[in-house]
Amino acid sequence: MEFKEVVGWRRSIRFFAPWRPVEREKVQAILEAVYRAPKVLELDIVRCVVIYRDALTAEQLESIRSPINSAQIDMAPVYIQFFADLQAAERAMDGGHLKELIDLDLLPASFGWTHDYVDRVIVPQVYKRILTDSNRVVVGRRPPLLQEVEEQAQARAGGGRTVVAVEAEPATLPLSLLVLANTAVGIAQAHALLSAFDEGLGAHLCGISPVVMKQLCRIPDYWHTGASTMLLGYHAGSWEDGGQRPREPFEEDFFEGRYGTPFVQDPGVVGRLKAERMIQDEAPLAWRRGELSALADMLGLPK
Amino acid sequence: MEFKRVLGRRRSFHYFATWRPVEREKIQAMLEAARRASRAVNTPFFKAVVTYRDRLSQEERNQFKTAWEPTVFDFAPVSIFWYHDTEARVAYVDRLKRPGVPSGALQDNAVMAPLLGWSRRFLSEVILPELLAPGGRSAPPARGGNSDAAMAMEQALLCAYDEGLAATLVPFDEDGARTVLGVPEVWEPLLAMLVGYPAESWEAGGQAPGLPFEDVFFAGSMDTAFERDPQVVARLQSEELIQEQAPIAWRKHEIRGLDRMFRLPASR
Ligand SMILES: Cc1cc2nc3c(=O)[nH]c(=O)nc-3n(C[C@H](O)[C@H](O)[C@H](O)COP(=O)(O)O)c2cc1C
């Protein structure tokens, strides 16, 4: 599909055909797109675990449900969970990967890239500073809502299941490392979401308890959790899905030259992007309520 | 351009055509793409400031630079500074003026349907206070990056390639940029996006190597690698998502030629 159409058709799809599996080939294509995402500071940070709904036990499935996601969890046949490997910067401290890129003529010497510069400047001034940032932030604290949700899930499951203690997560992280991790995950998620639609699928990001995800995916402590999960499947309803979601005025988001001077939206460009189907009809669509009612019947959702 | 080709073409460019301006309309298209990215509770956590090299003094440009490839700021005709607005969610909770989830606009527009459990009451009593403003509305804005802001930034970056441009992400100096751009203290820097027409070939030396696929992707749990099916790789090669990997035989000659063209110190 054309790039702009993919961006235009992407919207958070929350109704999936529960009975239609996603071909493994399409899952791989999505992962390959993530694989090609840019690496912030040339660090390999992102990891993904693909979870197939039907391979989960009833107890596992129950553990990831919450009031805000259980309908979608049940409908989507595939979940892709994103993690950030917090040891990536540490492993790069030998400068080995940067030197490899220099030797491959990807980082040109005329822009300052030499082995010596990597050892003398980049490793101590960039990588090491990320790891030794004295500005530390608390991580691993579950948002109260999810905590609540877990307790509920536990109660529903008869209270027999033990939840990993919050203390198992690192209490604080260097701020720069957390920024790096979140940036890398966001970049990867953009590739994954867009690729899903390019492959003819629907998807959305969904908050699932990081503690439960960590347990389910059996990841090591040094993988940072907390990223939302991508739910993936075939659309149960139309691709319009009620229309593109509203956005704030363009001029609140972007500035030109300096903060305070908005980047003024040119309607001519909007017209072009409409023709290229990146900007499409916005919600509400007149026929949406009828569609929702039909979807509820088909999918057995409470009206 | 086909989506997969856009992704395949993306790589880090260094040599921009310093003499060729970037049309403002292409920059707007990139920003429009950023706005269409997914965003938690439909809140815009990203902000960006677009700057033009030729409207900044050398001294101002120097203020953006860090140890990571400083000279690239002197090459690219456009630099876009991406930020995470740490106050976005508080603003959305407090003002309820924008068409986010808090305002109920998505329910009213039948996007986030109550049939998925998203009733207005659930929003006002649970989602809003607990999710959007944990620690209360008076809690200080939290730094630590933001994946949504990065997602928006990346959609803009990919759109640059679709528009026939090259774009590269580099870190920038927070204090220097604040002096030049006058951005609020509560904006946390993400990355600078350098944009222009490339002076080098679209190959730019070939796609970069990374960790083995099976060390990055897993099935079910981390105990099982997601096995890479070579047939899918072949399909993605034909769709140009996967392109020729570095090293490319003629790259050294290209770099020497580019260095001569830009009168850069001989590379080797
Ligand atoms: C980090 C993140 C978490 C999200 N979590 C949820 C979620 O738990 N449930 C849900 O229905 N949508 C979730 N969304 C989707 C957003 O609500 C959606 O992107 C936003 O309303 C804009 O709509 P659009 O994606 O259709 O353009 C999430 C999005 C992001 C970026």
Side-chain angles (χ1 to χ4, degrees):
Chain A
M1 207 190 292
E2 285 288 312
F3 173 81
K4 292 220 171 60
E5 268 196 66
V6 173
V7 172
W9 281 116
R10 189 218 60 79
R11 55 204 67 179
S12 293
I13 295 299
R14 299 181 174 89
F15 298 100
F16 302 99
W19 46 80
R20 184 166 176 187
V22 174
E23 297 84 342
R24 189 183 182 285
E25 153 181 8
K26 297 196 170 191
V27 176
Q28 184 178 331
I30 292 167
L31 302 181
E32 299 274 3
V34 171
Y35 199 45
R36 292 256 50 91
K39 290 169 187 147
V40 186
L41 303 179
E42 301 298 350
L43 296 170
D44 243 315
I45 298 170
V46 175
R47 306 286 179 270
C48 297
V49 179
V50 179
I51 298 163
Y52 298 94
R53 179 198 57 202
D54 295 345
L56 296 178
T57 64
E59 199 201 19
Q60 284 172 327
L61 195 60
E62 187 57 29
S63 73
I64 60 175
R65 280 205 185 96
S66 80
I68 60 163
N69 68 23
S70 60
Q72 292 120 285
I73 294 263
D74 288 345
M75 285 185 272
V78 177
Y79 324 132
I80 300 182
Q81 179 61 40
F82 297 82
F83 298 102
D85 182 342
L86 297 174
Q87 288 183 348
E90 234 172 302
R91 277 196 299 268
M93 285 294 283
D94 64 357
H97 183 54
L98 288 175
K99 290 174 188 171
E100 181 190 11
L101 298 177
I102 290 170
D103 294 343
L104 289 170
D105 294 309
L106 295 178
L107 296 175
S110 41
F111 280 78
W113 291 106
T114 60
H115 286 214
D116 179 56
Y117 190 73
V118 168
D119 289 334
R120 235 174 359 90
V121 180
I122 296 293
V123 169
Q125 287 187 27
V126 181
Y127 288 165
K128 192 159 177 211
R129 273 202 197 154
I130 291 169
L131 295 168
T132 57
D133 187 351
S134 58
N135 203 341
R136 297 180 75 89
V137 280
V138 178
V139 291
R141 192 175 63 84
R142 285 176 292 182
L145 176 71
L146 294 174
Q147 213 160 350
E148 251 173 49
V149 160
E150 256 162 40
E151 281 158 16
Q152 284 171 2
Q154 253 192 321
R156 274 202 304 271
R161 201 169 43 80
T162 48
V163 173
V164 176
V166 180
E167 289 73 44
E169 304 250 331
T172 66
L173 273 183
L175 177 69
S176 318
L177 186 59
L178 186 62
V179 173
L180 195 66
N182 282 326
T183 306
V185 164
I187 289 172
Q189 286 176 329
H191 281 230
L193 279 174
L194 293 173
S195 300
F197 289 81
D198 183 56
E199 290 288 327
L201 300 163
H204 83 281
L205 289 176
C206 186
I208 295 181
S209 161
V211 180
V212 172
M213 268 302 176
K214 180 173 182 171
Q215 207 177 29
L216 191 68
C217 298
R218 292 202 285 273
I219 60 155
D221 274 342
Y222 57 87
W223 282 17
H224 179 60
T225 57
S228 291
T229 311
M230 186 170 102
L231 306 190
L232 182 68
Y234 279 90
H235 295 68
S238 63
W239 275 61
E240 283 79 2
D241 195 54
Q244 270 187 342
R245 302 0 173 189
R247 296 292 189 253
E248 63 289 345
F250 187 90
E251 288 80 5
E252 282 187 15
D253 296 337
F254 304 115
F255 301 87
E256 197 168 19
R258 200 180 155 81
Y259 172 71
T261 310
F263 190 106
V264 177
Q265 190 177 35
D266 174 351
V269 179
V270 173
R272 185 213 346 148
L273 297 172
K274 280 184 179 162
E276 293 177 318
R277 289 206 272 184
M278 186 170 104
I279 301 179
Q280 304 187 8
D281 289 343
E282 199 174 277
L285 299 186
W287 45 279
R288 177 59 165 173
R289 288 194 194 276
E291 180 181 35
L292 283 177
S293 169
L295 282 171
D297 288 340
M298 178 172 76
L299 298 164
L301 295 168
K303 282 202 200 175
Chain B
M1 202 186 291
E2 279 293 313
F3 174 80
K4 291 222 164 53
R5 189 159 182 227
V6 169
L7 265 63
R9 208 176 236 218
R10 188 220 57 78
R11 59 207 65 187
S12 289
F13 283 82
H14 308 272
Y15 300 90
F16 289 96
T18 47
W19 50 86
R20 185 171 175 185
V22 175
E23 298 83 344
R24 187 179 181 282
E25 97 166 61
K26 296 195 168 190
I27 300 297
Q28 184 180 329
M30 292 166 59
L31 303 177
E32 301 274 5
R35 261 157 73 79
R36 295 258 47 101
S38 177
R39 341 107 56 101
V41 277
N42 204 18
T43 299
F45 289 95
F46 61 89
K47 293 281 181 291
V49 184
V50 177
T51 66
Y52 303 94
R53 185 199 51 213
D54 296 343
R55 295 186 207 165
L56 294 165
S57 65
Q58 179 70 53
E59 204 172 89
E60 285 174 319
R61 287 205 300 270
N62 288 347
Q63 299 216 55
F64 298 142
K65 297 176 181 176
T66 71
W68 191 278
E69 208 160 292
T71 42
V72 77
F73 285 101
D74 300 323
F75 273 77
V78 175
S79 300
I80 308 178
F81 295 84
W82 290 89
Y83 286 93
H84 158 217
D85 178 359
T86 62
E87 265 189 351
R89 64 182 174 183
V90 175
Y92 267 59
V93 173
D94 279 348
R95 288 192 242 139
L96 304 187
K97 60 167 189 170
R98 289 293 167 231
V101 170
S103 68
L106 292 184
Q107 276 67 29
D108 296 345
N109 291 339
V111 167
M112 305 270 290
L115 58 107
L116 292 175
W118 291 78
S119 68
R120 256 185 180 270
R121 193 174 145 255
F122 177 64
L123 279 176
S124 60
E125 290 175 16
V126 179
I127 295 291
L128 216 117
E130 301 288 4
L131 207 74
L132 273 184
R137 288 171 197 201
S138 54
R143 283 196 157 219
N146 182 281
S147 54
D148 294 18
M151 199 156 29
M153 175 179 76
E154 182 61 13
Q155 288 207 175
L157 182 122
L158 292 173
C159 189
Y161 287 85
D162 184 59
E163 292 284 331
L165 300 164
T168 296
L169 297 170
V170 299
F172 64 91
D173 186 81
E174 176 173 4
D175 295 334
R178 180 165 295 122
T179 307
V180 178
L181 307 176
V183 303
E185 290 279 337
V186 293
W187 285 14
E188 178 180 40
L190 289 184
L191 291 163
M193 185 182 291
L194 301 158
V195 187
Y197 286 92
E200 52 194 309
S201 61
W202 284 109
E203 285 78 1
Q207 284 185 334
L211 288 178
F213 189 88
E214 288 83 1
D215 289 356
V216 178
F217 303 108
F218 303 87
S221 79
M222 197 225 173
D223 307 335
T224 313
F226 189 101
E227 228 174 274
R228 200 177 194 190
D229 177 349
Q231 276 183 345
V232 179
V233 171
R235 193 243 296 174
L236 297 171
Q237 277 168 339
S238 71
E239 295 176 331
E240 295 182 67
L241 174 84
I242 303 177
Q243 302 186 6
E244 190 178 354
Q245 265 220 353
I248 289 184
W250 43 271
R251 176 65 169 170
K252 278 193 202 304
H253 298 286
E254 180 180 34
I255 285 193
R256 265 189 226 116
L258 288 163
D259 287 348
R260 278 198 302 273
M261 183 163 79
F262 287 104
R263 299 198 175 82
L264 292 169
S267 40
R268 56 207 74 187

